[in-house]
Amino acid sequence: MFHHRSRDAWLAIVWATVFSLLVAPAAFAQDEEPVLIQVGENKIGEISAEVPVQVFVIAITEPQVIDVQALSLDPGFAPALQVFDSSGLLLQATPNADLGTVAQIRSLALSAGAYHIEVRSASGEPGQFVLGVQEGEALAPPVVLALGEIVEGAAGSDQPPQRYTFAGSETNGMLLFVESDLLTGAPVVTLKNADSLELLALSGASLAGVRYRIPPSPNNFLVEVANSGSSADQAYTLCVQTDDATGPTCEAGAPVEATPTPTITPFVAPPTPIPPQPLPPLPTTGACVVASLTGGAVNVRSGPSTQFPPLFQISGNALAAVTGRLADGSWFQVNVNGVVGWISSSVIRIGGQCGNVTVVVMTSTPPPGSTTPTWTPDATTSITPTWTATPTDAVTPTWTPTPTLPQFEMVATLNFSLPPVYGSTALTSGFVPDPFSAGVTAGGPANVSYLGGGCSGYATAAPSFSVNYTSGAFPTLRFYFIGGGDTTMIINTPGGSYVCVDDSFGTLNPTIDFNTPSSGRYDIWIGSFAAGASVGGTLYVTENTANHP
């Protein structure tokens, strides 16, 4: 019988692995002790003649998708990235052959374990950089493989891994073939259990082809093909068949027969997306500027934290002049049309000469959660005194200076990038048990009425709970909450829109239905209808419309 390890046991294993990596540096190319980094953190590093490789270690405690980005802070320095598993096998790399100021690896799906991130100089020049690791967006559903169908693909250097899935058979073994015509630098091939993301096999760039035999199994399997670090696309072919060749085979020119109906709910592959257009390069000379990392709009906030409200947004193709940065490089101060604000380094590209950007010390910045900042005038503070002469014999009038203190207004808003307060889960259509449930306490400081559309209630800034959902045959996905008071619900959908509801089914409990639900992440906030209230209860997720408050 298979026994599930507890979360604490997994944490112990992961941190033991991290410790072993720290004390056994010979397993990886590194020149100083590795630096620990967590998801959501930014770390300053430097490449020099003495330290040509900077190594970071990250511990993943549960399956997760991450984005890794290195931003150059010095002119002439171009970073390159590599990510290795704990055994030293290369998972994905960005050589940055174009010598840009940013190197990134996006949508890297990792199972629980410890991983090495290496930063080098692609240009051969030394310099400082900011390494950021952020939670990545949920990956699109993988492409379903039909038995005997030979699939051609290419792993791009700036693209997430290509993903495929197929169902095992309880009566037959399966054969998986992945081949490349490249004699060196072939793509990296990973085989996982599609449901648990358990790593089953991994081949490195030194192999031009792999053949995996999978014994009879009712499980679903996931194949990921990633670029191994080449600046060019790495072409490959992929095919799966039964090991006894009773069905369609992978021989070239063999007819492709109809695939028998599997005993599981198949994935529905989305339409092939239009490849994104490359972003225009940023200037390498002149004043330091920043622009959107992805081409989408970017928030400019009133202070260097997501706790500060956005002042406005800059469009995906706009440049913002840099006037300062925090000491750790995690936030940049910008001036846009005379308005000064802050942009997170995790969402921008950097251009121009940024090596001498002023480091800003935020003596007036209120800590997160504080609404009244402390402030002390310095020697440069301009104070306009007000005074009234007193009709006495004194020649010198008396007066009291009244400096004008800067005011910061902290307005709590919903922020789906923050870790969910009560946890998260991944559900695939047909999940058991149905309904899924999680304990949640409603209420918080954020008045959600700013969203408009009839949204009401008070919730935490971070989501109460998050669900990564893979759609299938069931036509309805329902979220509902049962608590001990009047509550509301707000959901940020995979498409990025907010949906709100108050009462449902004749009760004070909220319910939101999604018909023909999309795959992706659903961030859920449970709010109290009254300000300052706290309502305990249970959040439910179901595909059975008979379940409701």
Side-chain angles (χ1 to χ4, degrees), residues 176-477:
L176 172 66
F177 302 89
V178 184
E179 298 180 354
S180 173
D181 292 334
L182 302 173
L183 298 181
T184 59
V188 174
V189 180
T190 306
L191 178 64
K192 300 178 180 178
N193 182 307
D195 300 315
S196 66
L197 295 184
E198 176 189 2
L199 180 63
L200 304 178
L202 177 66
S203 68
S206 59
L207 298 180
V210 294
R211 173 182 180 271
Y212 294 131
R213 183 177 184 274
I214 302 164
S217 169
N219 295 325
N220 303 316
F221 297 94
L222 178 68
V223 185
E224 296 179 335
V225 186
N227 188 288
S228 62
S230 170
S231 59
D233 291 351
Q234 297 176 326
Y236 60 88
T237 58
L238 181 147
C239 185
V240 65
Q241 69 173 60
T242 58
D243 61 354
D244 59 2
T246 55
T249 66
C250 295
E251 296 179 3
V256 177
E257 303 178 8
T259 303
T261 302
T263 58
I264 63 166
T265 301
F267 291 102
V268 178
T272 302
I274 299 174
Q277 297 299 314
L279 297 175
L282 297 182
T284 57
T285 60
C288 182
V289 294
V290 296
S292 169
L293 176 64
T294 63
V298 174
N299 284 331
V300 179
R301 298 181 178 273
S302 61
S305 166
T306 55
Q307 297 297 316
F308 288 91
L311 297 172
F312 55 88
Q313 290 184 327
I314 60 171
S315 62
N317 56 2
L319 299 181
V322 174
T323 57
R325 66 177 175 88
L326 293 187
D328 64 357
S330 59
W331 288 81
F332 281 77
Q333 186 185 60
V334 297
N335 187 317
V336 181
N337 297 326
V339 180
V340 176
W342 292 84
I343 299 180
S344 170
S345 63
S346 64
V347 296
I348 56 173
R349 297 180 294 145
I350 299 177
Q353 302 294 320
C354 299
N356 296 320
V357 172
T358 301
V359 175
V360 179
V361 179
M362 297 301 296
T363 57
S364 306
T365 303
S370 172
T371 58
T372 304
T374 58
W375 180 84
T376 303
D378 56 27
T380 63
T381 303
S382 175
I383 300 176
T384 303
T386 62
W387 60 276
T388 303
T390 304
T392 65
D393 293 335
V395 176
T396 304
T398 60
W399 56 275
T400 302
T402 55
T404 301
L405 302 182
Q407 298 296 317
F408 293 89
E409 181 182 2
M410 295 291 288
V411 179
T413 58
L414 305 188
N415 188 342
F416 58 80
S417 65
L418 295 175
V421 178
Y422 298 101
S424 61
T425 190
L427 299 176
T428 300
S429 184
F431 56 86
V432 176
D434 184 343
F436 168 86
S437 62
V440 170
T441 299
N447 185 347
V448 304
S449 61
Y450 78 92
L451 294 173
C455 295
S456 62
Y458 297 84
T460 54
S464 303
F465 201 82
S466 181
V467 174
N468 281 302
Y469 178 72
T470 302
S471 61
F474 287 85
T476 301
L477 179 64

Side-chain angles (χ1 to χ4, degrees), residues 422 440-444 458-460 464 481 486-488 526-528 533-537:
Y422 298 101
V440 170
T441 299
Y458 297 84
T460 54
S464 303
F481 180 79
D486 195 354
T487 54
T488 67
I526 305 299
S528 61
S534 179
V535 181

Side-chain angles (χ1 to χ4, degrees), residues 141-147 149 151 163-167 259 262 266-269:
V143 176
V144 179
L145 295 176
L147 291 179
E149 181 179 6
V151 177
R163 305 168 74 234
Y164 307 88
T165 187
F166 62 93
T259 303
F267 291 102
V268 178

